[in-house]
Amino acid sequence: ESLHSCIGLLGISAGSLLLAVHFYSSPRAAPLIPSTALGVLLLVLSALLAYAGIRRSLRNASLLVSLCLTLSAFWSGYGVILVLAGQGLLPEPGDARDALVPGLATFTLALLLVALVGFLCREPVLALVAAAVSLASAHEVALHYSSSLGPSAVACSHLVVCLVGGYFALGRILYLLTKGKVALPGTDLAEKKAQEQGWGSAGGTNPFAAPGLLLNMLSASVLGCRLLGVTHRLFLGHVPWLWAAGTYQIGLCVLSYRAMDVPMATAFGFTSILKFAAGYSLLYPTWQPEEPSFPTPFLVVFSILFAVLALFLCLQSPVDGLYLLVFVTYCIALACSPRGFFAGGPQGVAVAIFVASALVALIHLYNVRARAKILPGKGAVKALLARSSLLKLREGPDLHAPYLGYSKYADAEVLAYACSVLASFALTATGDPQAPLATVVIPWVVVAGGILMLLGGSVAFARGKTLESSAFILYSVMWIIWGLTRFGGLHGTARSFHAAVGIVAFMLFNTFIVFCSLFLNMAWFFYSLTFMLIAVSFLLDAIHALPTGYDIAATLIFGLVSFYCFLAALSSSTFEGCCFPMGRPVVQLSGVGAGTTKCLHLPARKASSVKRIADILRNGGTCGIPTDTVYVLVAACSRPDAVEKAHRSKRQAQDRPMSLWISSLKQLEPAKHLFTPLLWDFMEAAWPSPISLVIPRGEWVDLLGMKDSAKYVGTPQSVAIRIPDCSVTTHLIDLVGPIVVTSANPTGEADTTHHNQVYAKLGDKVDAVLCGGPSPENIASTVVDCTKIDSGNIGFFRVGIIPKSQVLQILEQVQRK
């Protein structure tokens, strides 16, 4: 916890020290730090701050998260502009000023908001740092417009940040040297952590919403400054701000899925597309004299998607939903303006976005840290919907539970379907074949259809959705390749046989996805099938056989199907029941799969899950559980019927008998007199560990209550037994008593190393799975033959994770004792 806080604050201090040196030496003919070197150093520090903010946020929400991520985005854009200036790419006298001022003005206000909330929420160190950097940015803006203000004023503000960082470092060093006895005010992170756990992030607040909203201010400032006359033109120097904001918002989109906030993550995905499109529009005139044109139908579709998302977001937070309506206006303004981002209409809406983003960001910043929250209006929405018998909001701990197991991410299918809509409607823009880059299509197809759909596929894979993730990743690759080829000037007027072969390969992969979707649901079948129409249009275009209007019709059909899937996914994540049903599987399979299962999948990290598994075992069920090695199938010894059921479901071979597990030797204490002293001491020394001991069978087995089912455990002469080195497993055995164990896979197959594989291999024959993610080890336990231990000899049936030498060393120590 302290590591990431220290990295964040000391990283900010390091960047401020570099800028202080730069501005103190700027009046000289040769500055101490050249612009290119300073830009590269700021980029390195921005990556460090992003790491500190992300890692810090995974534990407790704090203003440090917003401060680190906001400054990281600021310094990344600032660093790229310094590199461009150092390389002579901003040659005109006022270019550097016009490039820097929009970002500096934005971060002056953004960091002032962070400082204000810091003072209100008793975070003096963070508030001082934010206020000092905000003051430095304001001084730098003034420096660009007034020669009477020297650069020393900017450097002094940065030195204040360095002094605060030095104070923090001194406090941490004293705390470390005195072992917590001396702690300067504001540097005792243990006390701060206790406060954060007491008040922080109550009510499931998304700590990444505020940085994302502050980045919306950045892109709006670039366009708003041009409208207000603060800058003379929009040009290459503004692209770093726009693309830095877009890149960071894609990262915040992923982190918002980690915070289980689907609507806000989708909103950040949408707004990042606009930032990349604006950057592309400003970049295009650097190699062509004219401004690029915009596909009007696409922007109308984008405004509809924004409006639908705003409507659903209003149900979660009316303030955020109303805020998204400003972006609906923005898209409509772009659609109505042939000049796009260069026109006064979109620039005027950008000013409104700047003001609205500042106000909503202030609310989110305050709610992350304050005890008394500013209510976003969700209570009124819940009260309104409570009167309706048709609509009921989905809430509770299982809101984002995946189909199998558990996931650290919420479902990203809403964004993936929306990106399919955007990419397909963007392709309806024909453009000029001689100048394919003149139409702004690449950002919509490559960023939306490619990068963001790839993100959606990655999140789907993390949630255990193998088919959906494979389809999204395949389609994203197709959109990226075809978007760059057709609208990036790579295709040209000539067509290639090699391109046709590649498209045929994609169609073969998609044929497999269409076949698999038959067993998923009706909507996915049509979604994958209509994408085949898109691939066919690509193929026909590559071989000069594309009928007039076919590609437009194919993209419209796929876009409409994707839009329905977008509505269905959004409504199912918001309401209970199916407002827009996805349909049943076209081909219904009996047994495994088919979208339904009675097998419970419970997260192992919850004590309540372990208790439910224990109840199932006591009632005669069989369960798959994680261990210190691989996943195993277990049944309670006190339920002979469950032991027999486990044997039947496993199709256990006679040479691979089931074993016994206990949580402590106390469970065998009543039968201690039946074990030799050497064997008992050896068991005591070897456990808990991934070492199974095969010991002589005796009357002690009858004390476990297995009755006639004991014949399925071990052999007539011996039984394998061990105490696992896994707290979850031993706690379960404490609740249930000794258990019968076998590997969670059909005999002869590979060991099961993930909870999803348990159900995939055993199907409905298992009643529940305790989900612990990937196994800590992919190697099974070591099995030691102790039937002749009293003669001083032991053998090895299987050498697993524990080597022979370690087992022999334990035996030697016991014998010596």
Side-chain angles (χ1 to χ4, degrees), residues 704-751:
L704 301 178
M706 291 185 286
K707 299 180 181 177
D708 292 341
S709 65
K711 63 185 177 183
Y712 301 118
V713 180
T715 67
Q717 295 79 31
S718 60
V719 176
I721 185 171
R722 82 176 175 105
I723 300 177
D725 191 12
C726 175
S727 56
V728 172
T729 311
T730 52
H731 177 51
L732 177 64
I733 300 172
D734 283 336
L735 296 174
V736 178
I739 57 176
V740 172
V741 177
T742 184
S743 56
N745 54 274
T747 304
E749 293 190 10
D751 289 323

Side-chain angles (χ1 to χ4, degrees), residues 363-411:
I363 293 174
H364 279 275
L365 282 169
Y366 186 78
N367 284 346
V368 165
R369 292 300 298 122
R371 294 182 182 181
K373 311 291 183 185
I374 299 176
L375 298 177
K378 184 177 180 180
V381 174
K382 289 178 66 176
L384 185 64
L385 290 177
R387 302 176 182 178
S388 171
S389 59
L390 299 176
L391 300 177
K392 184 179 180 182
L393 288 176
R394 290 188 62 184
E395 293 181 306
D398 297 330
L399 174 61
H400 300 287
Y403 168 56
L404 293 178
Y406 73 95
S407 173
K408 296 179 181 178
Y409 297 90
D411 205 334

Side-chain angles (χ1 to χ4, degrees), residues 532-548:
M532 188 69 81
L533 300 178
I534 299 282
V536 169
S537 73
F538 294 164
L539 177 63
L540 294 175
D541 184 52
I543 61 175
H544 295 279
L546 181 65
T548 304

Side-chain angles (χ1 to χ4, degrees), residues 166-344:
Y167 168 81
F168 179 80
L170 177 63
R172 294 306 300 162
I173 291 171
L174 287 175
Y175 186 88
L176 180 65
L177 294 178
T178 61
K179 297 182 179 179
K181 295 179 181 177
V182 177
L184 297 179
T187 63
D188 188 354
L189 298 179
E191 180 183 348
K192 285 180 65 178
K193 181 179 178 181
Q195 290 177 350
E196 288 168 5
Q197 290 176 339
W199 349 315
S201 67
T205 304
N206 179 5
F208 306 108
L213 294 167
L214 296 176
L215 290 175
N216 284 338
M217 292 172 57
L218 176 59
S219 58
S221 174
V222 171
L223 302 177
C225 284
R226 174 67 192 94
L227 179 70
L228 299 175
V230 178
T231 56
H232 297 92
R233 62 192 175 104
L234 296 172
F235 70 114
L236 171 67
H238 294 134
V239 175
W241 293 125
L242 294 169
W243 283 6
T247 303
Y248 273 79
Q249 276 204 324
I250 289 179
L252 290 170
C253 173
V254 177
L255 293 170
S256 294
Y257 282 121
R258 183 74 182 256
M260 301 297 172
D261 191 350
V262 174
M264 193 58 76
T266 309
F268 287 153
F270 284 2
T271 53
S272 69
I273 299 171
L274 290 171
K275 292 171 178 56
F276 281 106
Y280 176 87
S281 301
L282 271 58
L283 193 62
Y284 179 76
T286 59
W287 65 79
Q288 294 292 337
E290 71 274 4
E291 296 171 357
S293 60
F294 281 74
T296 301
F298 166 82
L299 290 164
V300 173
V301 171
F302 205 0
S303 65
I304 293 172
L305 289 176
F306 259 120
V308 172
L309 182 62
L311 176 64
F312 280 90
L313 188 55
C314 279
L315 302 174
Q316 175 180 303
S317 171
V319 171
D320 295 332
L322 293 174
Y323 167 72
L324 275 193
L325 291 178
V326 185
F327 285 94
V328 177
T329 310
Y330 187 54
C331 291
I332 294 174
L334 285 171
C336 296
S337 305
R339 298 182 61 214
F341 297 101
F342 296 92

Side-chain angles (χ1 to χ4, degrees), residues 483-573:
L484 292 175
T485 301
R486 184 174 178 181
F487 297 96
L490 302 178
H491 210 304
T493 55
R495 299 297 188 263
S496 169
F497 170 76
H498 304 288
V501 173
I503 294 168
V504 170
F506 271 103
M507 292 174 66
L508 290 176
F509 279 116
N510 193 51
T511 302
F512 176 71
I513 290 175
V514 172
F515 172 75
C516 293
S517 65
L518 289 170
F519 309 99
L520 187 59
N521 56 53
M522 188 74 73
W524 252 99
F525 172 70
F526 282 109
Y527 177 71
S528 57
L529 185 64
T530 50
F531 186 82
M532 188 69 81
L533 300 178
I534 299 282
V536 169
S537 73
F538 294 164
L539 177 63
L540 294 175
D541 184 52
I543 61 175
H544 295 279
L546 181 65
T548 304
Y550 173 82
D551 56 340
I552 303 295
T555 52
L556 287 176
I557 293 171
F558 178 70
L560 292 174
V561 172
S562 300
F563 184 71
Y564 178 84
C565 293
F566 166 74
L567 290 176
L570 196 55
S571 63
S572 65
S573 66

Side-chain angles (χ1 to χ4, degrees), residues 35 79 103 158 223 226 352 404 440 447 467 502 511 520 658 758 778:
S35 292
H158 283 298
L223 302 177
R226 174 67 192 94
L404 293 178
V440 184
V447 176
L467 175 62
T511 302
L520 187 59
M658 293 191 289
V758 177
N778 292 332

